[in-house]
Amino acid sequence: MRTVIHNIGRLCGILPASVRRLEGERMSQVESLDDAWIELNDGIITAFGRREDSQPGINADDVIDAEGGYVMPTFCDSHTHIVYAGSRDGEFRDKIAGLSYEEIAARGGGILNSADLLHNTSEDELFRQSLARVHEIMAKGTGAVEIKSGYGLRTEDELKMLRVIRRIKETVPITVKATFLGAHAVGREYAGNRGAYVDLVCSEMLPRVAEEGLADYVDVFCDKGFFTPEDTSRILEAAATFGLRGKIHANELAISGGVQVGVSHGALSVDHLERTGQEEMECLRSRETMPTMLPGASFFLGMPYGRAKDFINAGLAVALASDYNPGSSPSGDMRFVMALGCICMRLTPEQAFNACTINSAYAMGVEDRLGSITIGKLGSLIITEKLPSLAFIPYSHHTPFIRRVLTPVPSSKV
Ligand code: NIG
Ligand code: FE
């Protein structure tokens, strides 16, 4: 099936296939073509060009008139907890009244509250609630999403979450990656006995998860009050025996050592990074690990924002993701993430765009087929209304300017 989109005002996010991620100064450029067209064959980008360069559209099975709008790659959201039961709006009141995230967690709320809700929700119902959220983010332009477990905290409940993620993978036309986050909090049955809980994660949960092939990555909440770098190291070593790579929660609540332990185990990404110093930055330089920041969590919890600008000025790469979850970021809108990147982290619109597309594609291991306009990649595309500039996207992020989201089925699903 041949599809041609023509009458494109601006085609943006063009990259050669050799570029896996953008670092430093290179994050400031978004390559684009004005008055353009793009051709897809069976969902794969096969050609694009300027209007005057050729005559596309003839003999296409599907011709789409972009009416002068922008065409860009869909967003890749490389860090979410979108599978959860119910909500935590009750804690929202506590938060407004002045309790911190850690205080709410210490009172048995937070992640443990979500674990109780999930335990009492059937797999079908969990799937129904979670799928609705996935449809919501797809309409907002997300074409790939990473989803974590971590509200189970018991073997059967962690497996339940991961099976729901697998069902989502099989149901939606976008790319989904699953991450096992058994070490999100110490389960209630193990209160006061973190070591035994880490044993459970390594010797019971992980083997079951691997046996059923339910996870693409493994995560640990390496932070003050949750898990230590030593716990993280144990879990990452156990994960490596199953061929699973890490994506680590680090430095959200304190300088936790999570960046160092993640990098030393070759994690694909270290995420959050609200609290990082020079040492963390140097540790990440020229490494495979992608620093990923989650400004939605800083916004919602009133925490400092990650130092994305300093990272980029120091020549590093940065990815941005939504962290969509019921406790610290109840939103998966990547346009809002872009806006926060610009307004609160002082990224340029181009830097924020690259952080939400090619770099976040890298942070979830899908940069070979998503995250840019590149021949051979999936034609997973956003078509917008006419926009005055790229800056308009984060500037006016509440304006409903997305006209259409194309999500051809990834070939691995065919
Ligand atoms: O990324 N920080 C740990 N995990 C989530 C929050 C989970 C929750 O509060 O439900 C996060 O912010
Ligand atoms: Fe998270």
Side-chain angles (χ1 to χ4, degrees):
M1 155 124 170
R2 180 167 175 263
T3 304
V4 170
I5 310 172
H6 70 110
N7 203 10
I8 299 173
R10 181 169 287 178
L11 179 65
C12 18
I14 302 168
L15 283 174
S18 56
V19 174
R20 296 177 60 212
R21 63 184 197 178
L22 295 168
E23 297 171 344
E25 188 47 42
R26 294 180 70 200
M27 283 191 71
S28 302
Q29 252 71 62
V30 172
E31 200 64 51
S32 58
L33 278 183
D34 288 351
D35 298 322
W37 54 270
I38 185 166
E39 176 201 71
L40 317 179
N41 273 291
D42 294 328
I44 303 293
I45 301 173
T46 43
F48 54 85
R50 296 201 53 184
R51 192 201 321 261
E52 64 242 41
D53 296 341
S54 66
Q55 294 284 328
I58 302 157
N59 299 329
D61 304 297
D62 188 17
V63 178
I64 300 170
D65 184 350
E67 295 177 26
Y70 273 45
V71 171
M72 55 188 251
T74 50
F75 297 115
C76 294
D77 193 349
S78 65
H79 180 137
T80 81
H81 310 249
I82 204 166
V83 169
Y84 59 84
S87 68
R88 301 235 294 273
D89 50 305
E91 290 174 15
F92 185 57
R93 292 184 181 279
D94 297 336
K95 190 179 95 71
I96 296 165
L99 287 188
S100 71
Y101 182 78
E102 289 144 294
E103 284 164 342
I104 292 171
R107 293 195 339 177
I111 295 168
L112 294 180
N113 183 355
S114 286
D116 292 341
L117 284 167
L118 187 130
H119 182 68
N120 294 318
T121 302
S122 71
E123 190 170 314
D124 282 346
E125 176 58 16
L126 185 62
F127 173 70
R128 196 192 62 74
Q129 292 182 18
S130 306
L131 186 64
R133 290 182 206 111
V134 175
H135 283 143
E136 172 206 329
I137 63 169
M138 284 167 60
K140 288 179 171 158
T142 293
V145 62
E146 182 258 17
I147 309 176
K148 300 174 192 297
S149 69
Y151 294 123
L153 313 181
R154 292 179 174 110
T155 305
E156 286 311 320
D157 288 342
E158 283 295 310
L159 293 172
K160 174 162 92 176
M161 282 191 82
L162 288 162
R163 288 183 192 126
V164 166
I165 299 172
R166 182 171 60 193
R167 274 173 81 181
I168 291 172
K169 235 185 225 198
E170 291 164 355
T171 305
V172 296
I174 66 169
T175 297
V176 175
K177 291 284 179 187
T179 299
F180 167 57
L181 175 55
H184 196 192
V186 173
R188 284 203 195 278
E189 292 78 6
Y190 289 81
N193 198 355
R194 203 183 69 241
Y197 185 73
V198 174
D199 289 343
L200 179 80
V201 169
C202 293
S203 48
E204 185 176 298
M205 292 185 183
L206 246 175
R208 295 277 309 272
V209 168
E211 190 190 333
E212 283 195 45
L214 288 170
D216 300 297
Y217 301 106
V218 169
D219 194 349
V220 178
F221 188 9
C222 181
D223 223 318
K224 188 175 149 212
F226 289 85
F227 295 90
T228 65
E230 293 70 36
D231 300 332
T232 308
S233 189
R234 277 189 61 198
I235 294 168
L236 288 178
E237 273 163 29
T241 66
F242 296 106
L244 295 172
R245 217 172 156 190
K247 275 174 69 62
I248 299 300
H249 275 75
N251 296 45
E252 175 183 3
L253 307 172
I255 302 248
S256 68
V259 171
Q260 289 82 345
V261 72
V263 169
S264 71
H265 284 83
L268 178 58
S269 70
V270 285
D271 301 26
H272 268 290
L273 313 183
E274 284 82 356
R275 311 180 202 253
T276 45
Q278 202 59 32
E279 194 187 316
E280 282 76 18
M281 252 187 245
E282 287 316 316
C283 164
L284 282 156
R285 188 179 294 285
S286 312
R287 305 305 287 253
E288 286 285 302
T289 307
M290 174 62 73
T292 300
M293 301 188 188
L294 312 169
S298 300
F299 169 77
F300 189 80
L301 296 181
M303 294 186 300
Y305 285 85
R307 294 168 54 194
K309 192 85 182 170
D310 292 341
F311 273 57
I312 294 171
N313 289 343
L316 300 175
V318 170
L320 296 180
S322 76
D323 199 17
Y324 196 169
N325 76 75
S328 68
S329 182
S331 160
D333 188 341
M334 289 297 283
R335 295 176 306 167
F336 182 50
V337 170
M338 254 187 100
L340 291 173
C342 294
I343 299 161
C344 302
M345 299 168 126
R346 309 198 67 78
L347 299 185
T348 64
E350 290 76 15
Q351 290 169 336
F353 176 91
N354 286 321
C356 292
T357 53
I358 187 65
N359 282 3
S360 51
Y362 177 98
M364 57 183 289
V366 298
E367 78 282 5
D368 57 337
R369 55 183 191 171
L370 287 159
S372 63
I373 304 292
T374 303
I375 289 178
K377 284 195 182 181
L378 263 179
S380 179
L381 303 169
I382 295 173
I383 306 175
T384 74
E385 304 285 350
K386 265 189 186 168
L387 301 180
S389 69
L390 186 76
F392 191 86
I393 297 171
Y395 159 81
S396 192
H397 63 279
H398 282 314
T399 304
F401 54 72
I402 294 181
R403 276 186 47 217
R404 191 162 165 188
V405 183
L406 294 191
T407 50
V409 176
S411 54
S412 67
K413 291 194 179 186
V414 176

